[in-house]
Amino acid sequence: MPDGAAKEERRVETLEVNIGPHHPSTHGVFRAVVELDGEIVTDVVPHLGYLHRGYEKTCENKHYHNVIPLAERCDYMAASGNSVAYCLAVERLAGIEVPERAQTVRVIMAELSRIFSHLFWLGTHAHDVGAMTPLFYCLREREEIMNMFELTAGGRLMPNYVRIGGLARDLEDGFLERIRAFTETFDRRVDDYEALLTKNPIYIDRTKGIGILPTEDAVALGASGPVIRGSGVAWDIRKSEPYSGYDKYDFDIAVEDGCDVYSRYLVRIREMRESNRILRQAVDTIEETPIRAVKHSLVFPPQHEIYDKTASLIHHFMLVVEGMKIAPGEIYHAIESPRGEMGVYIVSDGGPQPYRLKWRGPAFVNLEALALMSRGAFLSDFIAILSSVDIVLAEVDR
Amino acid sequence: MGVDRPLTDTVYVTDLERMINWARKSSMWPLGFGLACCALEMIATFVSRYDLSRFGMEVARPSPRQADLMIVAGTASKKMLPAILRIYEQMAEPRWVIAMGACACTGGIYKNYAVIQGIDRHLPVDVYIPGCPPRPESLLEGILQLHAKVMKEPSFRNPRKTRIKAAP
Amino acid sequence: MNQESIGEKLLATFGEETIEETVLFQDQVSVTVSAEAIVAVCRFLKEDSELAFDFLSFVGGVDRYPATPRFELIYQLYSLKHNHRFRVKARVDESEENPASIDSVVEVWPTANWHERETAEMFGITFNNHPDPRKLLLPEHWTAHPLRKDFPLEGTDEDTPDLPREQG
């Protein structure tokens, strides 16, 4: 063959790789179509909706009380925190004041859920980056927390313990002692996890400088929670707009300036320690008041009164059959969930069912930043960045 | 040909089918198909407290080519269904399906436009495990019932064919 | 600044033609503006130094069927600098000739991108000048808008089938 013969033209093109929806590292049914130039990611197109369960339409067809189990399943990692968010929104809409003991127990449940969620995140994030050991230890802690959830109302994952106006029932004997024992050992356990990862050169190589999210972009893209606190913005709704008695407790906001995956890891580790602090204070300062507000047209009467007093029986009956009728209006209430600003927007038209119920899921909004953070990273870094956003698909897809 | 000497403890006599079934049930590798909340309880069953590896099943393969048992843990939404069917078709026979949780059994609390009202509309399910989410003990009980079912299968005389159900 | 003074400032800047209604309920103010002026109002809310609403929590929709105008769009805002919240609403109607549409606020807050995509597919509202008007959560082959009040909760076999028609 003569050398001068025309050689075939070389063509360079990017490769599109489909990750998900069934994938061990996507933390659920999430699909991302990643455009690769060799090993470098040039673009990411997320495809959502694989766990779309029609939440908002289903809630429009249920009574206000019947939405509580749905609320818990909307963010299954911190289920109790979610039901607290929903009940707070309805109470604000209806103008119900919750007694202090119920507020303190709600804080206990919300902080336990936060630790619960961050532990699972830590285990799976370390697993994604290659460290398999922390997963088993984190899940061991979670079993202890699930034992405590079981003590409240019987459910390990979805206790369904919070009610509109307060709680379902009072605490069991021995519950507070168990929490106190948990808080005493938990700090040492977090030290153990940090000993495995924080100064580990392999972990630092895999996470430091990866997935940079500059501060202005974090605000513009609506990121909240550990994602925005890892980018230097000290915003925590528990401090800026306190709810359910959070202003009584002394705790710090965990903020880091690195804007990368490592900073978000440090923020979540510190948040676990701060949650432990809040738990200790809540258990020491819990009040002795009733656990549910008294408002006959809107709040269920206490269980024992239904068997003794006819008036309570009638109220209970009307609330179950006809539902609670809230005056027309609209409200937006946001809490600090482990992933960020979890907001509930309710429009009421005077009937027993919410006219419109919109969940502002923080993971949904934080995920928008994924493409920006991943451009220019290796494919294996993409997995680390995705896990640092901490998505829960139920919140993303609703 | 008779047996004219007492057999020692190193020789067991059985039929081929029972041996095949015993081998299958003792090392059934799950394809952890965790879709939603039930996935958390499934993972809790895999780790130290409830330990699935005592049944030889801790090897959860993400790839359907290497898995025997598909545990559908969580809500199957209609957008996800083509992916579920494709993954089921990629599993090599013999293959079994466990529907874990209320959503996989019948649709759960989501009786609406977006959720399939039970994946047994499309897949042949062997064991149904109710609960929302079922406790790890329930999942273990369901797995043990599946093992008992596998022991009774005529796997040698009449190997079963598992196919996706035709659309209603 | 408290919410009522923000409402008054908006009214003073834009006048009564643009600011249609101001409602105070349980310490929260919602201001309804005319749909044509939505981008101008949002830009003012973001760029004014006293207001500084740099964080958009969400963009949502409400179907007020059979009232007209049919749809109401909600913009929930927060200021990181001043720690105050606010809500802006805009109403759009739809008819045979003019499907419901409103300008997109993505140029003011980039986070509105996915919120508007979801609102568009759930209600059937078009966002003008949206950089990426694709479906987000629903399957590609569906054409229905589920969050409309006249759409049944359980869907229909024609609009929300389990599988796409070609797969049978």
Side-chain angles (χ1 to χ4, degrees), chain B residues 50-61:
Chain B
Y50 295 101
D51 200 15
L52 202 52
S53 72
R54 352 174 216 166
F55 305 107
M57 293 173 68
E58 89 277 13
V59 191
R61 314 303 293 182

Side-chain angles (χ1 to χ4, degrees), chain A residues 342-394:
Chain A
M342 173 84 198
V344 181
Y345 172 70
I346 310 182
V347 175
S348 141
D349 63 345
Q353 297 165 339
Y355 187 75
R356 171 84 169 105
L357 178 60
K358 161 121 185 114
W359 301 94
R360 191 257 186 212
F364 176 68
V365 187
N366 292 352
L367 199 54
E368 265 192 272
L370 182 67
L372 179 70
M373 290 194 279
S374 317
R375 283 194 194 106
F378 287 122
L379 185 59
S380 44
D381 294 332
F382 169 73
I383 300 291
I385 297 168
L386 176 62
S387 73
S388 81
V389 175
D390 192 6
I391 52 172
V392 167
L393 264 303

